[in-house]
Every structure is written in C-alpha cells, then in structure tokens.
C-alpha cells in the first residue's frame, strides 16, 4: 500500500496517488508504504531519486546500519510493537527525512500509525512539518508501549490473585495454564523493553544529528525521559514475573511432594505384610487352594484387581 499525506487547515489529510505526478506534488509531506509492491517501490524511487532499503536491510541490528545520514537524508530504522492474537512482535519501520519530506516503510500495518493518523486528522496544528510527524509517531509509540505495559501488569495481577489468594489447591491443568500466562506476559514485556531500547537509540541519534529545531528538541528530550521511566517499569515487571514463576514452581513441587508422600506411606504400610508373606507364604502342608479347581484363575483375578484399584483411586484423587 502506498499513501501520501499533506497539511490542510492544520490537519493531516490523505491524498490519492495514482501516478508519479501525484506523488511529486510539493504539498506532499509524508509518504507511507506498507508492504509495498514492486511497482510502488519503483514509483517512489523514481520520483524522489533514492534507493529504498530491502527487507533484509531493515532487520540489520548494527547501529551504523540502522541510524545514519547520507546524500538522500537522515535514515532511522526502529522497532515498533505489533500486538496480535498470538502475542506480540517487533516490526522494523524505516524512516527517511528527505528535503522536508518524510518517507516511512514497513511490512505490517501498526496500531501506532493508525492512532497517529487519527490524531493528526482530528487535532488542528498537531503537526506542522515532516520533523513533527517523525517525533509525533515516536511519541505515540511510547504512549502505546505504556498502555501495553499496563496490560501486562493487569494480567500479572490476575495471575498473582490466582496463585497467592487461592481458596483451593490448583490442579495440574490450572498450574499449566498459569505457567503459560506468565510466560506470555514475560515475552510481551521483553518485546516492549527491546522496543524502548531501540527507540531511545534512534532518538538519541536524531538529537545528535541536529536536524530538528529548538522546540522540537525539547519535545524529544521529554520523550527520552518517558522512555527511561518505562524502561525502569519493565525491570519491575520482570521481577514480578520471576517472583510469580518461582511461586508457581513451588506449588508444583509441593503437589509432587504430596504425591510422593502418599506413595511412600503406602509402601511403608504394605511392607510388613509383604515381609510376612515372603517368609511364611506357601510353606504350609494344609492349603485348600492346592486342590481348588478355580484357585489359579482366582489368583490372577486378584492380581488384576490389586493393580487396577490403586490406579483408579489415585486417578480419582487427581494425583495421576
């Protein structure tokens, strides 16, 4: 998808792009590409006389490759959080400030960009330049990360209530579900932490590049302070996750020890009869079973019942 945006009455509006002439209009301030086709890439490269990065170049984690300045302008490649039904991922977004125009390219549509477009469309004077658009996108991304961390904290509070304030013992299924919930929140928290660290690196490079004005520099420093506070909060969440995981593993160990205790007691109880049977069994001259026609089948039946009965009992109690 290829989209172009310009300012109209202080608001960011979408412009239709059908031909290269539509894209080359001087009022175009922001060009956004989402999983672009070969034709769309070729159109952008021919109009603005630059080379768009390939997908494998976007994933390069070296700082020199993710943030740099060349004859085309200032390049920033940053991670943005992408939440979906199965969890969260870090999607790389490529930014290029080129002669007062911002170009962005990514492989997924992100909630951060949808929220930014909504604000820029309904709030007058929300942005006034390409640099404002860049900073505002990062600002919305930090707010989005904060909301995600609040969701992680709320989910961990539910897990904490389930683990620490339980009225009955947790069964194996509940323990497995709890461990899966904790692992999922740990994964999301780790993705947010990586996103925050990468955003701080990109903004620090933008600050050193001196391509923004004094007022924008103040806003950028404010975003960096928010990043620092959120980064500390992810550390707190990691500590909470580790505590809950240790608590759940402790409950699992207690449950296993309870089962082992039951088997230990059963073995101790049946040890004396087993010893007596080993010493005196089959050592008597008068044994009615020797001449009993159904003695052998009856013994086999008793053996089967003696094996099935304990298994059924332990299964009913939920110990197996």
């Amino acid at each position: 998808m290829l989209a172009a945006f310009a300012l109209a009455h202080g608001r960011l509006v979408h412009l239709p792009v059908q031909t290269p002439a539509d894209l080359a209009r001087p009022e175009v301030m922001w060009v956004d590409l989402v999983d672009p086709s070969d034709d769309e890439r070729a159109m952008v490269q021919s109009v603005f006389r630059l080379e768009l990065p390939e997908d494998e170049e976007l994933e390069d984690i070296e700082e020199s490759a993710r943030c740099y300045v060349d004859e085309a302008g200032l390049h920033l490649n940053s991670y943005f959080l992408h939440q979906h039904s199965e969890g969260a991922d870090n999607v790389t977004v490529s930014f290029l400030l080129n002669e007062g125009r911002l170009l962005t390219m990514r492989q997924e549509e992100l909630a951060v960009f949808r929220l930014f477009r909504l604000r820029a469309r309904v709030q007058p004077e929300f942005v006034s330049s390409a640099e404002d658009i860049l900073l505002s996108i990062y600002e919305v991304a930090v707010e989005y990360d904060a909301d995600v961390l609040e969701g992680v904290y709320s989910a961990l509070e539910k897990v904490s209530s389930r683990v620490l304030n339980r009225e009955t013992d947790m069964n194996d299924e509940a323990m497995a579900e709890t461990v899966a919930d904790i692992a999922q929140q740990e994964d999301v928290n780790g993705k947010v932490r990586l996103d925050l660290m990468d955003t701080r690196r990109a903004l620090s490079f933008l600050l050193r590049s001196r391509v923004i004005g004094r007022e924008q520099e103040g806003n950028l420093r404010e975003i960096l302070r928010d990043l620092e506070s959120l980064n500390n909060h992810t550390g707190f969440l990691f500590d909470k996750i580790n505590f809950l995981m240790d608590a759940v593993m402790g409950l699992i160990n207690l449950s296993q020890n309870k089962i082992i205790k039951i088997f230990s007691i059963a073995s101790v109880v049946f040890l004396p009869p087993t010893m007596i049977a080993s010493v005196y069994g089959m050592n008597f001259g008068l044994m009615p079973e020797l001449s009993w026609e159904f003695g052998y089948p009856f013994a086999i039946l008793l053996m089967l019942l003696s094996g099935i009965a304990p298994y059924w009992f332990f299964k009913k109690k939920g110990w197996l």
Side-chain angles (χ1 to χ4, degrees):
M1 183 186 72
L2 172 61
F5 299 87
L7 285 179
H9 307 291
R11 291 181 171 88
L12 199 65
V13 296
H14 179 265
L15 301 177
V17 177
Q18 301 293 335
T19 64
D22 296 332
L23 199 60
R25 286 178 292 185
E27 63 269 22
V28 172
M29 185 179 296
W30 177 29
V31 177
D32 187 31
L33 297 97
V34 181
D35 193 15
S37 64
D38 293 339
D39 292 339
E40 291 171 340
R41 292 175 64 95
M43 181 188 299
V44 173
Q45 291 179 146
S46 63
V47 170
F48 299 112
R49 302 180 184 278
L50 50 82
E51 191 74 21
L52 293 176
E54 299 294 336
D55 294 344
E56 56 272 12
E57 296 175 353
L58 294 180
E59 300 302 326
D60 197 332
I61 62 174
E62 294 183 5
E63 183 175 5
S64 60
R66 296 179 68 84
C67 305
Y68 60 94
V69 178
D70 60 10
E71 63 278 1
L74 183 139
H75 299 260
L76 297 175
N77 297 325
S78 294
Y79 286 133
F80 280 73
L81 195 67
H82 175 51
Q83 279 194 302
H84 46 80
S85 58
E86 299 179 357
D89 291 317
N90 293 111
V91 176
T92 301
V93 179
S94 175
F95 296 92
L96 171 60
L97 276 174
N98 173 265
E99 299 178 354
R101 184 183 292 109
L102 177 67
L103 281 77
T104 58
M105 188 174 70
R106 59 193 184 279
Q107 297 302 314
E108 300 281 351
E109 181 57 274
L110 302 174
V112 169
F113 283 79
R114 291 195 298 268
L115 181 57
F116 165 75
R117 290 195 299 266
L118 175 62
R119 291 185 181 180
R121 187 170 63 248
V122 301
Q123 296 182 20
E125 308 302 330
F126 183 69
V127 293
S128 59
S129 64
E131 292 78 10
D132 279 345
I133 294 175
L134 176 61
L135 285 180
S136 297
I137 291 175
Y138 276 116
E139 184 178 2
V140 173
V142 173
E143 294 177 5
Y144 181 76
D145 287 344
D147 293 338
V148 173
L149 290 179
E150 289 181 4
V152 172
Y153 183 82
S154 298
L156 291 178
E157 282 296 298
K158 293 179 181 179
V159 174
S160 178
S161 177
R162 189 191 315 164
V163 172
L164 303 178
N165 301 327
R166 55 194 174 88
E167 297 179 357
T168 59
D169 291 339
M170 299 176 64
N171 55 28
D172 293 344
E173 183 178 353
M175 288 182 183
E177 181 181 352
T178 301
V179 171
D181 290 342
I182 296 174
Q184 182 179 16
Q185 300 309 317
E186 190 277 338
D187 180 70
V188 174
N189 191 52
K191 298 290 178 56
V192 173
R193 189 181 184 92
L194 176 61
D195 183 28
L196 295 173
M197 294 175 60
D198 191 73
T199 299
R200 180 172 59 183
R201 180 173 63 178
L203 292 179
S204 298
F205 180 85
L206 182 61
L207 184 64
R208 295 193 303 269
S209 65
R210 301 185 182 279
V211 299
I212 57 176
R214 185 174 298 275
E215 182 178 353
Q216 293 169 334
E217 182 177 328
N219 294 336
L220 191 153
R221 293 185 184 277
E222 186 68 27
I223 298 173
L224 287 174
R225 284 191 289 268
D226 293 339
L227 281 173
E228 190 64 29
S229 64
L230 290 179
N231 196 46
N232 293 334
H233 191 60
T234 59
F236 162 75
L237 291 178
F238 274 126
D239 292 339
K240 187 175 182 66
I241 288 169
N242 290 332
F243 168 75
L244 289 176
M245 185 64 76
D246 290 340
V248 174
M249 296 306 297
L251 292 176
I252 293 175
N253 290 333
L254 288 175
S255 178
Q256 292 176 342
N257 291 338
K258 185 184 298 184
I259 297 173
I260 294 174
K261 178 182 177 181
I262 293 172
F263 280 103
S264 299
I265 294 175
S267 62
V268 171
V269 168
F270 289 104
L271 182 60
T274 302
M275 183 187 67
I276 295 173
S278 300
V279 174
Y280 291 101
M282 307 301 291
N283 293 323
F284 301 98
L286 183 58
M287 295 184 65
E289 290 82 358
L290 294 176
S291 57
W292 186 24
E293 182 179 357
F294 300 102
Y296 185 70
F298 181 72
I300 293 178
L301 179 62
L302 286 180
M303 286 188 289
L304 292 175
L305 291 177
S306 65
I308 294 174
Y311 179 83
W312 173 83
F313 178 77
F314 292 139
K315 190 72 173 179
K316 183 178 180 181
K317 291 292 186 180
W319 298 336
L320 292 177

